[in-house]
Structure formats: structure tokens, C-alpha cells
Amino acid sequence: CYTFYVTTTQSPLTSVSNVVSKVSGFNASRPTTSFFSRAGAVVQPLEGYGAYVAYTDKKTNYITFLTVDWTGNVLSSVVLDSYAAYILDFTVVPPYYDLVFLAKYTANTNHLFVLRVSSSGMVRWKKTIMNNSQAPNIPTQTIDQISFNFFGMNMMYDPSSGKIMFANGILFTIFAHYNKFSDGGSHTGATTILIDPDDPDKINLLQNWNPSHSLIERVIYDSTTQTFYSATLGDAYPENIVVSSYNTVTTEYTSITSFVPGIIPGDGSGYSCGHLGDLLVTPILGGYSMTYQRKACSKGISGKGSDVTELGVIFFNEKLEKSNSVSITDIPGLSQIYLLRSAWLGSALVVVYATTSLNWTTEYPSNIYSEKSMKMYYMVVDLSGNVITSPFNCSLSITSCDPLVVLQDGSVMWTYIYPNGSLVINTLPSFAPGSIATLPPFAPYTVNYTPKTPTSLGVVCRARDLSYWTIMGVLIFIYTIKHL
């Protein structure tokens, strides 16, 4: 474990927190890009246990999942030796803790499928979403229940990234993919479908080809409104972030094509002058929030440019109506960001971002994932957008799509895959179970402590080459101590 010394500027109290980092003994294949990125090692909480951790084995390419306890100890492992595939994402379906994977075969990355297995690895069903060649020439009706006449879906291939989430009897699935068009051109876009977890032949198309191209996807579910919310970063149509909502009760679907004011210039070939952080349920205030970053670029594919360089937070309600926005413009490395993640901890928003020192041949950010060229920063922002902990740099690493996960007992778990494939499971034990947050089974966590304004935190790093979530874990621990 690593020890960090944390002090507050408003109190002489000094607290010491140990974050446990355990080498799992397993090796995983890891993503190498910040855009069009598949998953690395995904954590999903389990009611009454700890969590599942799912990944693609580095040597065999088999889908593998571990059951771990709340401290990160591996209790069991299951290898799906009939499925050598890259995981885009996975989710858990009650009541038997089944896992549902969104994945593509390593030997045929054009074959995208959804796979449901039991906790012991028994296959319940597999549904092919697409399975065409790298450059299909004949329109193919891939999803039997959906007409291939929909724009952007008649010759789908090469799926790159995506998210799948179970809630309220629905598998909400969004994925980015190429499509070959009748004029011979190939482009990428995002498709969103709804799958019945018990009968995968029951599929509904929610949205086709929006946006183009889809570089990053995020999905959340709010059990209070029984609504899924998704966000995707586009580099062409639009040069912006698309935010959508789907109410599982009324079946109403709403989508706003350009959610960020102005433009986030993109070159239309897989690069953008911005990044999508996270789509979040905002505790205390209620509603939702989205983090993003953009840098000034002279011209995008539309011919328009932007002189805005900022890290932004947009607050909105269930109708996607914006209530407030925050623009932060004076933090180090802002124009060099190429990875961005965030999470609400009470009334404090922890923002983690990575910058690169790679030489860019154009004004568009690099899409290369490399610890050697990276600096990681984290900071804490309050509900008004004030930076209450200035960006702090340490020699840490960050992955593009595997988030921080709050488990049912209030502990925090995250993973990191080293370049050699070594899978590490990091855990911050709960200071007082249930005092930080409770995680209802298969639903977003609900903050249940009295709202208070966090004090400023000054954090001193005493270790190097650690996972960035170690820092975030300390913030949770100290924030909890001071607010119990």
C-alpha cells in the first residue's frame, strides 16, 4: 500500500490514509488510445459481495472475469475459453449476478456481439450485432430485428468503442462503428439500441448514426427518474457533444446535438480539439452534470474555428435543460489534455486529467496513450466552479475509459493495467460503511449524508508511479472524516 500525507488549510489536523494496491496475479490486455477506446479492466459492484472485474487476458485473449471482495482480494476467476474477444464494456443483471458483455472477437474485430453468462461462466445467450468484412460491398441485414435501410447501418463494420448498462429491464447499448456507403466512402458513427436481457431477439433501435464520428461514449442511469442519459463526442456532425435521454417508463427519447455552447473543432477523421470527461448524477443539487475540455483550434471540418480553451462543467435537469455552467481557464496543461475523468464526491467534483508532451504535427491533440509522455493532474472544484484544490501533478497514470467505482459497502475500487499487462486492483476501504454512499443493486449510488461545503485540501504526494485513483481515494477518505 501507499501512504499519503494529507493536510487541510483550515485546520491543523493532519490525517494519514493507506490506499491498498494489490497485484491480482493476472495479466490483461489494455487499450492504447484516448479516442475510439475499448475497455481495459472494468469494475462492476455486486450486492452483498465486492465486485466483478472483467478484462481480456493478455496472453490468450479470452474474456476473463474475477470476483473480488471489498478489499480487492481475488475470490474466484472464470475464463470464457470459447470467447477470445476484446471487451468494450460489461454490466450486471440480477437476480443471479449474470454478466452481459459488449465485445468483439480478437480474430475478427468486425464481429460485435452481446454475450450473457452466469456467474459460473455458463453461456445463456449470444447475440450478434454485426459481422461483416473489413470493407463490405453488399448491404447486410446484421441485426435481424432492425431493418438495414436505416442510414449508417446497412454495411456496418469495425466497431471501436461502446457502453452497455442494465437497468429497469433494459440493456441500453451504444457503440461506435464504421459503415460503408453507396458512394464507396466509409465513415464512423454511433448507434444506440435497446435489448431485452431475457430475449435478445427483442431489440429496438433508439438512434442511428449520431454523432459522426463518435470518439467517446458515456452512459448513466438515474433510478429516481428511471431514465438513461448518454453523451458522445463527435468530430464532424456535430463538432460538439451530443447528450440524450431515454425514459424507460414513458419511452420518450430526447437528443440535443450540440450541448456545449459554440463549437469543439474536429477534423472529421478521428481527432477533436476537445475531450468528453464524464456524465454524472449530481448529488446534493440533484440533476446531472457533464465535464468536458476543449482547446482553441483555428479550423475544423466545417471551416469554423474556436478561440476557447477551457475545462467546463455543465449542469442540467432531466429534460436536458441547462441550469448552470462553469468554465475553468487557468490550470496547467489545459491545452495539452488528452485524457479526462471526473467524479462527484458530495459537493466536491474531483477532476483528473492527463497531458502529453508528444509533439503534435497539427493543432489536434495526440491520440496516443503513453505514460512516458504523460503528466497527470487532479483538482477539486466546488458547486460554484471554484477550484478549492489547485491542480496537483504527480507521476501517475490514467486509462481512457475505466472509471472509479463506489461499491455497496462504501469502499472505492478501480483498476490499472501496466504496460507489461499486470492487472492491479486498487481499493480505498470504507471509513464507515454506508457513511459515504450506498449503492442500490444495479443502480447509481445515492449520496446520503448532510450536504456541507468541503474545506480546501492540500495533498502532498510521497510516492511515485502510482495509479491516479490513489489520490482520489485519499480525497474520499479525508472528506468523509471531516464530514461525519
Side-chain angles (χ1 to χ4, degrees):
C1 63
Y2 303 109
T3 300
F4 283 81
Y5 299 89
V6 184
T7 62
T8 66
T9 59
Q10 299 182 6
S11 168
L13 173 67
T14 299
S15 301
V16 179
S17 173
N18 290 330
V19 177
V20 179
S21 183
K22 296 184 178 180
V23 178
S24 67
F26 297 86
N27 290 327
S29 173
R30 72 176 196 155
T32 57
T33 60
S34 58
F35 296 142
F36 301 122
S37 178
R38 61 178 174 84
V42 184
V43 175
Q44 288 288 358
L46 284 173
E47 180 187 10
Y49 292 89
Y52 283 136
V53 178
Y55 59 93
T56 298
D57 183 82
K58 181 177 175 63
K59 183 178 181 179
T60 66
N61 286 331
Y62 293 147
I63 294 177
T64 304
F65 63 90
L66 313 175
T67 302
V68 301
D69 65 17
W70 286 309
T71 62
N73 295 308
V74 177
L75 304 176
S76 65
S77 64
V78 176
V79 178
L80 304 182
D81 56 11
S82 295
Y83 294 93
Y86 294 123
I87 297 172
L88 275 61
D89 196 17
F90 89 100
T91 188
V92 179
V93 176
Y96 304 113
Y97 309 110
D98 285 3
L99 301 85
V100 181
F101 296 94
L102 178 65
K104 59 181 180 180
Y105 286 108
T106 55
N108 178 12
T109 56
N110 296 292
H111 188 163
L112 179 71
F113 60 93
V114 178
L115 175 71
R116 179 172 178 172
V117 303
S118 70
S119 59
S120 64
M122 180 185 72
V123 175
R124 299 198 188 279
W125 53 257
K126 171 182 172 286
K127 179 66 177 179
T128 293
I129 303 301
M130 69 177 78
N131 184 19
N132 297 320
S133 64
Q134 181 62 27
N137 294 308
I138 301 174
T140 304
Q141 187 167 335
T142 303
I143 305 175
D144 295 337
Q145 290 71 33
I146 299 175
S147 170
F148 61 83
N149 292 322
F150 284 104
F151 182 82
M153 295 184 68
N154 58 347
M155 286 190 277
M156 297 191 297
Y157 70 101
D158 196 12
S160 55
S161 56
K163 295 293 180 183
I164 188 168
M165 176 175 280
F166 171 82
N168 212 14
I170 294 173
L171 289 168
F172 185 100
T173 308
I174 181 171
F175 55 94
H177 60 91
Y178 271 89
N179 189 76
K180 189 171 182 180
F181 291 90
S182 58
D183 62 0
S186 294
H187 304 280
T188 70
T191 294
T192 304
I193 57 177
L194 306 176
I195 306 174
D196 187 318
D198 297 317
D199 184 357
D201 286 336
K202 294 180 180 178
I203 298 180
N204 289 314
L205 175 65
L206 193 60
Q207 177 69 65
N208 61 303
W209 208 258
N210 187 28
S212 175
H213 310 109
S214 180
L215 307 185
I216 302 172
E217 302 83 37
R218 304 284 188 240
V219 176
I220 60 173
Y221 176 79
D222 185 5
S223 56
T224 60
T225 61
Q226 301 183 69
T227 300
F228 287 101
Y229 298 88
S230 64
T232 55
L233 172 65
D235 72 346
Y237 306 103
E239 295 171 80
N240 210 298
I241 296 172
V242 177
V243 175
S244 306
S245 66
Y246 174 73
N247 187 288
T248 61
V249 177
T250 66
T251 68
E252 180 180 0
Y253 178 72
T254 304
S255 184
I256 296 181
T257 301
S258 296
F259 203 68
V260 176
I263 188 175
I264 303 177
D267 69 350
S269 63
Y271 291 89
S272 171
C273 285
H275 275 81
L276 170 61
D278 282 278
L279 199 59
L280 305 164
V281 177
T282 306
I284 299 176
L285 278 182
Y288 315 94
S289 50
M290 183 188 75
T291 54
Y292 67 94
Q293 174 268 352
R294 58 177 162 177
K295 65 184 289 288
C297 282
S298 60
K299 185 174 68 173
I301 190 173
S302 64
K304 299 178 181 178
S306 172
D307 59 1
V308 179
T309 299
E310 66 175 350
L311 193 155
V313 186
I314 295 177
F315 298 86
F316 58 98
N317 62 19
E318 61 183 279
K319 297 181 180 180
L320 306 186
E321 297 169 337
K322 301 171 190 174
S323 57
N324 190 23
S325 62
V326 172
S327 177
I328 301 170
T329 60
D330 56 353
I331 57 175
L334 182 55
S335 63
Q336 297 280 113
I337 289 176
Y338 78 119
L339 292 176
L340 174 66
R341 296 312 302 247
S342 53
W344 279 105
L345 304 174
S347 59
L349 176 66
V350 176
V351 178
V352 182
Y353 63 93
T355 64
T356 179
S357 60
L358 291 175
N359 292 323
W360 296 347
T361 56
T362 68
E363 59 184 350
Y364 289 96
S366 171
N367 189 33
I368 300 174
Y369 182 88
S370 171
E371 283 87 347
K372 294 181 179 179
S373 65
M374 181 171 60
K375 287 185 178 180
M376 193 285 298
Y377 296 88
Y378 81 92
M379 65 180 183
V380 181
V381 180
D382 66 17
L383 291 171
S384 299
N386 302 309
V387 178
I388 59 177
T389 297
S390 298
F392 177 79
N393 170 238
C394 200
S395 301
L396 311 178
S397 299
I398 178 175
T399 58
S400 58
C401 60
D402 300 335
L404 172 75
V405 175
V406 181
L407 304 184
Q408 192 179 32
D409 72 333
S411 60
V412 180
M413 184 174 290
W414 63 96
T415 63
Y416 179 67
I417 304 171
Y418 282 93
N420 65 1
S422 178
L423 171 61
V424 176
I425 300 172
N426 301 303
T427 306
L428 176 73
S430 173
F431 178 73
S435 64
I436 300 177
T438 59
L439 184 66
F442 320 106
Y445 71 85
T446 302
V447 176
N448 60 357
Y449 52 77
T450 303
K452 295 182 180 180
T453 302
T455 58
S456 298
L457 301 178
V459 182
V460 182
C461 179
R462 300 299 188 191
R464 301 182 64 184
D465 299 323
L466 314 181
S467 167
Y468 82 100
W469 288 121
T470 302
I471 296 291
M472 292 185 65
V474 172
L475 287 173
I476 302 171
F477 183 85
I478 298 304
Y479 187 88
T480 304
I481 291 175
K482 294 183 65 60
H483 290 81
L484 291 178

